[in-house]
Amino acid sequence: MQAANIHRILIVDSQPLFRDGLRSHLVNQPEFAVCGEAESINEALKLIRKERPELVIMELDFADGHGLDLIRQAKVIHQTVRIMVLSTHDEGVYAERVLRAGATGFISKYEPADGILTALRMIVRGQIYASAEVTQRMLNTSLHRIDGQHSATDHLTDRELEIYQLLGQGMSSRAIASRLHLSNSTVDTYRERMKKKLGVQSGPELIRHAIQWAIESTRGDSPSPIGATLDAS
């Protein structure tokens, strides 16, 4: 009788210590059960097919692709799966994108453990979780807010933003092409499009902007993320 109320969760994160911390914390919550863990997109998709979890908790950065692709593919494989993105990335950049890709929540790893549990409980009840700021942002977008209020990166497609992020991490065009299974010329085409959208004149200037954006969007001045909190609890 009790088992019917237990929500099965798949944890997808490239960092073993974070997965361990989150699993250890969820073990103490009677309504949740971890049915598997994955450190890559390919591994996650295999487990989604096999385990059919009710909820996936995931990051966005993986060696074999981007989390936005995982969200879309997961929803094709298992249409009713709920997905909560738990990330160190700036919610102002990514929250709206992950929700539009099919996720049902976005929360920062820097949030207290109780806040993450609150988000999980909302999602398994069929609600969408996002901060008040993200909710307001999406409302403003739907009401056609003034273009001048948008961040320049809002105009990038998901693929462009993914490449922009990798440029900001110091990866070369050749390395990005290999990682994303694209041709070098395709990556170069994306770079030219980004230069126009961002109003930059050269490749080195694009990289400088990307690096600065990466520094700002990873919130390096924030306290330790949730993995450290969970390990201590």
Side-chain angles (χ1 to χ4, degrees):
M1 191 77 176
Q2 223 176 359
N5 298 320
I6 295 178
H7 307 287
R8 300 172 70 250
I9 294 175
L10 173 66
I11 300 172
V12 188
D13 196 290
S14 60
Q15 299 179 357
L17 286 176
F18 179 80
R19 296 198 307 270
D20 289 346
L22 183 55
R23 184 187 65 246
S24 296
H25 193 68
L26 291 173
V27 163
N28 297 321
Q29 312 304 317
E31 73 267 46
F32 298 124
V34 176
C35 65
E37 296 179 28
E39 64 178 5
S40 68
I41 289 177
N42 286 335
E43 188 179 358
L45 293 174
K46 289 177 183 177
L47 285 172
I48 290 168
R49 288 188 184 95
K50 179 183 177 182
E51 298 292 340
R52 312 295 286 184
E54 181 178 349
L55 176 65
V56 173
I57 303 175
M58 56 169 280
E59 241 289 7
L60 290 174
D61 294 326
F62 299 97
D64 58 344
H66 195 275
L68 288 169
D69 293 327
L70 172 56
I71 294 169
R72 296 188 189 97
Q73 292 179 65
K75 295 296 286 186
V76 171
I77 293 169
H78 185 13
Q79 292 184 357
T80 61
V81 69
R82 297 182 176 98
I83 300 171
M84 185 175 82
V85 174
L86 185 56
S87 177
T88 56
H89 285 295
D90 183 356
E91 70 173 10
V93 176
Y94 281 102
E96 186 174 346
R97 290 176 186 264
V98 302
L99 293 173
R100 288 183 173 173
T104 39
F106 183 102
I107 190 168
S108 170
K109 281 184 177 179
Y110 300 105
E111 287 293 321
D114 287 347
I116 292 175
L117 288 174
T118 296
L120 285 174
R121 288 170 179 141
M122 287 180 63
I123 289 171
V124 296
R125 289 199 302 267
Q127 298 173 271
I128 293 175
Y129 181 87
S131 70
E133 291 79 6
V134 169
T135 302
Q136 186 62 51
R137 176 186 173 89
M138 295 184 75
L139 177 61
N140 288 342
T141 299
S142 69
L143 294 175
H144 309 290
R145 69 179 184 174
I146 301 170
D147 282 346
Q149 294 177 306
H150 286 271
S151 165
T153 54
D154 288 350
H155 300 292
L156 300 181
T157 65
D158 289 343
R159 178 64 89 183
E160 289 167 352
L161 184 65
E162 182 179 359
I163 293 172
Y164 190 62
Q165 177 187 331
L166 295 175
L167 285 172
Q169 293 172 1
M171 292 183 67
S172 67
S173 291
R174 186 181 296 276
I176 292 171
S178 175
R179 175 163 175 168
L180 300 181
H181 308 292
L182 301 172
S183 68
N184 292 337
S185 61
T186 298
V187 173
D188 289 340
T189 298
Y190 278 120
R191 288 183 58 156
E192 289 302 313
R193 291 177 186 170
M194 287 188 284
K195 281 163 58 179
K196 291 179 181 178
K197 290 183 178 182
L198 298 173
V200 300
Q201 302 303 313
S202 67
E205 187 181 359
L206 176 66
I207 292 172
R208 286 197 299 272
H209 278 259
I211 291 171
Q212 183 60 40
W213 175 82
I215 292 169
E216 293 174 355
S217 67
T218 51
R219 298 176 60 183
D221 57 346
S222 300
S224 297
I226 190 65
T229 306
L230 294 176
D231 286 337
S233 61

